[in-house]
Amino acid sequence: MKTLRTILIVTAVIFLLTVTVLFFIGFFKPKPGGILVDTTPASSVYVNGSLVGKTPFKGTYDIGQITLKVVPITDQGNLIPFETKINLMPGIQTVVRREFGKTEEESSGDIISFEKSGTEASLVVISSPDNAQVSIDGIPRGFAPYKNSAISAADHQIAIKSPGYTDRIMTVHTLVGFRLTVFAKLRKDNSAQVSPLPTPTSDLKIFVEILNTPTGFLRVRTEPGSLGEEIAEVKPGSKYLYLDTDTTSGWFKIQYQEAKPGLPNGIVGWVSGEFAKKLEDQNLIATPSPTPN
């Protein structure tokens, strides 16, 4: 009995000494968060007001919020600096990329970050301007802000597009148990000529009226046919400006949402011609549509 007690005491002392040593060497300290900054042209990098280096820059800091500022180093003119706040997560690297312009509209970039969330891989895409179209692996999925809570854990190509702005395309890797957030800032394309919406040659407007369906609604899709990505649902009796007809499927292209600042062409989509018909009446008024989720 005495021998057993001695063994237990020695074991406890060894355990306490081990824990103490690990504590002092920082074993139990939370892992720092990483940050990777890349810019065009090269820039000076400031973290919490202190100059820490030049791009491309890679560093680690205590978890929590930091203030990041990048100032372009160039003789090409007055390029506008970029400043933002970033929440660093333990053991995770946040990526910040920026292409400088002389104004905010002429600048572009993205911030890619992870956050532990549940047991599935998920993706959130936020854009500036709002309502940019989001495509994943070449397939249109919806409009920003966009969320996918069941995306596969793998490499994915993300494309963010908006009329009058340059496209932003990137490859990301989603992880099980983490939410990947992409904030994309698109650059205004002053050289691009935004095509005006198709309009009839006379005052007579053509509308599409939604007919009764077995489900009580009709899906609006990005392309004619059932393989197009669903972007909205419209109710029987609602009317939308007619834009075009797909001769192969007989589907109608409609103006689902009117143009507005940041979305020069509004939102257009396709509906099945089986449950819709064309109307010609200059006195008709299109049904107002909400912004799709």
Side-chain angles (χ1 to χ4, degrees), residues 211-234:
L211 305 178
N212 290 326
T213 68
T215 59
F217 61 86
L218 185 62
R219 293 179 172 87
V220 182
R221 300 184 182 273
T222 55
E223 300 175 4
S226 58
L227 295 180
E229 187 73 17
E230 180 182 344
I231 60 175
E233 295 174 355
V234 291

Side-chain angles (χ1 to χ4, degrees), residues 46 52 60 143 170 197 199:
Y46 296 82
V52 294
T60 57
F143 297 88
M170 66 197 73
L197 295 177
T199 55

Side-chain angles (χ1 to χ4, degrees), residues 36-39 42-43 45 53-58:
L36 174 64
V37 186
D38 196 11
T39 62
S43 65
V45 180
K54 298 179 181 179
T55 57
F57 172 81
K58 186 176 182 179

Side-chain angles (χ1 to χ4, degrees), residues 144-269:
Y146 168 83
K147 183 177 181 181
N148 187 330
S149 299
I151 193 170
S152 60
D155 288 333
H156 296 281
Q157 186 188 73
I158 310 296
I160 303 100
K161 304 180 180 181
S162 185
Y165 292 82
T166 55
D167 299 345
R168 190 142 193 99
I169 301 174
M170 66 197 73
T171 299
V172 299
H173 186 83
T174 51
L175 299 172
V176 172
F178 288 89
R179 178 173 64 241
L180 189 154
T181 300
V182 176
F183 172 78
K185 166 69 173 66
L186 305 184
R187 177 174 61 84
K188 189 77 171 178
D189 188 358
N190 295 323
S191 63
Q193 297 295 323
V194 179
S195 301
L197 295 177
T199 55
T201 56
S202 67
D203 292 335
L204 187 64
K205 291 185 178 181
I206 302 177
F207 287 81
V208 171
E209 181 180 8
I210 309 303
L211 305 178
N212 290 326
T213 68
T215 59
F217 61 86
L218 185 62
R219 293 179 172 87
V220 182
R221 300 184 182 273
T222 55
E223 300 175 4
S226 58
L227 295 180
E229 187 73 17
E230 180 182 344
I231 60 175
E233 295 174 355
V234 291
K235 296 182 179 180
S238 56
K239 302 175 182 66
Y240 301 91
L241 184 65
Y242 164 81
L243 300 178
D244 197 4
T245 300
D246 180 63
T247 56
T248 302
S249 64
W251 281 46
F252 297 133
K253 187 177 185 180
I254 63 171
Q255 185 72 43
Y256 173 70
Q257 188 181 67
E258 296 299 323
K260 65 178 185 178
L263 201 65
N265 282 347
I267 296 175
V268 300

